[in-house]
Amino acid sequence: MEYLHIKGKQKIKGEIRVNGAKNAAVAILPAALLTEGVVKIDNLPRITDIDKLVDILNALGAKVSSSEERCLYIDSSGVDNFSPPPSLVNKFRASYYLMGVLLGRFGKVAIPMPGGCNLGPRPIDQHIKGFTALGAKVELEHGIVKIKAKKLRGAHIYLDVVSVGATINIMLAAVRAEGKTIIENAAKEPEIVDVANFLNAMGAQVIGTGTDVIKIQGVPELGQAEHTIIPDRIEAGTFMIATAATRGEALVTEVIPKHLDPIIAKLKEVGAYLEVGPDWVKVKGNNVLFPADVKTFPYPGFPTDLQAPMMVLLTQAPGISFITENVFEGRFRHVDELKKMGARIKLGGRTAIIEGGYELVSAPVRAMDLRGGAAFIIAGLISRGETVLAGVEHIDRGYEFIEERLKQLGVNVERKIISDEVFPGK
Ligand code: UD1
């Protein structure tokens, strides 16, 4: 088993270039299957979620090649398989985008139900509602979702919940449908705009992404395209929060500052110093931190993906802070582990009450999801002692070689191997 060994009381100091956005990349790679042409996708993060998707694309018959780091060419002309191997898609949440894509390309798809995950129940009823409105029949047989349509036809779809996944998935299925699709109450995340820009580069006609009404005029086929993935606002936010928590100083480059507005605003409120340039953000920690009230919401609200890292920062702000998780009800699994490190947190429904201003102390902890894992790294960096963090595979899903990235920021985190049986605290 791999784990991270984190020396406490370290301060971030340095400069880091932000990688391509995971949540855009995990939709854009499957979207390449919507065309018979060759596409070039650049600025892909080197994370395990992308490795898994490349394996799936290969298994479906696509030719995936690379000439430079972070850049892939995908030739889907030979794809004739609408049923991704269960062994590759099982437990891989973002595999749900293969539904929209294969339905859009072949009019049918058979895929294992995307597993629940560590954020509590994550239904896909809104995805299904969209496919059904487009004329597909959806059946669940022995855990396999089978979706079929003689012909996909544009439809008017009103989403009951604001969902990133459903918005993208319906868009993917609708771009080659006959006629016009309108998605109302759509999610507005920048990653959705990025996916639409890629689809439009291939010849699709999607307008309105970034607002809550998306209009798609179906086209019979798509062509070749080149696309560069947008910067990952969640990775940027993680480094920014880590800098404020360690009272360090960092220049985070190649970002789109507008995407970081809710994070910049909250960090200022907590007392950090921020300077914003055209494509960079400078963060300087402040020894005096203030408590805050954080509520997660769909974009442009404070991102749920930064809720756990923000919680660690607030443990250092003397006074009472509140975090209300409005997006995923089960997204508090990091709380018990943080308490082991001395954090004073009480949970009441969707709200965490944090009594801040107390020193964290190292403990063996285990990441149970990606962003919770990032939070424990920040907790390890500020705590007294040396933290041993297991569950690194969750972190590798979305942060590229995290220990190397942190080294660029002047802090020392080591990846080590240990037998599972002797992991402390197991
Ligand atoms: C995406 C992101 C994830 C982020 C989340 C919210 C990817 C691969 N993942 O996840 O990092 O935390 O957006 O910003 O992009 N819901 C339903 N029915 C549905 C779909 C969703 O009830 O059919 C609910 C979910 O349970 C959740 C809320 O809607 O409470 C938002 O989920 P959604 O935006 O769909 O999240 P994901 O797309 O899974």
Side-chain angles (χ1 to χ4, degrees), residues 129-140:
K129 173 177 165 170
F131 300 147
T132 310
L134 293 172
K137 230 177 116 197
V138 184
E139 283 170 352
L140 184 64

Side-chain angles (χ1 to χ4, degrees), residues 250-278:
L251 180 65
V252 184
T253 65
E254 294 195 32
V255 296
I256 299 175
K258 179 87 196 121
H259 295 173
L260 300 170
D261 277 352
I263 305 147
I264 292 170
K266 248 333 141 188
L267 285 178
K268 281 185 178 166
E269 206 181 304
V270 174
Y273 302 107
L274 280 109
E275 206 185 314
V276 181

Side-chain angles (χ1 to χ4, degrees), residues 35 175-176 196-206 217-225:
T35 175
V175 282
R176 287 182 66 170
N197 286 341
F198 172 59
L199 294 170
N200 287 343
M202 290 195 292
Q205 291 183 22
V206 182
Q217 180 62 50
V219 294
E221 55 180 26
L222 298 176
Q224 49 193 39

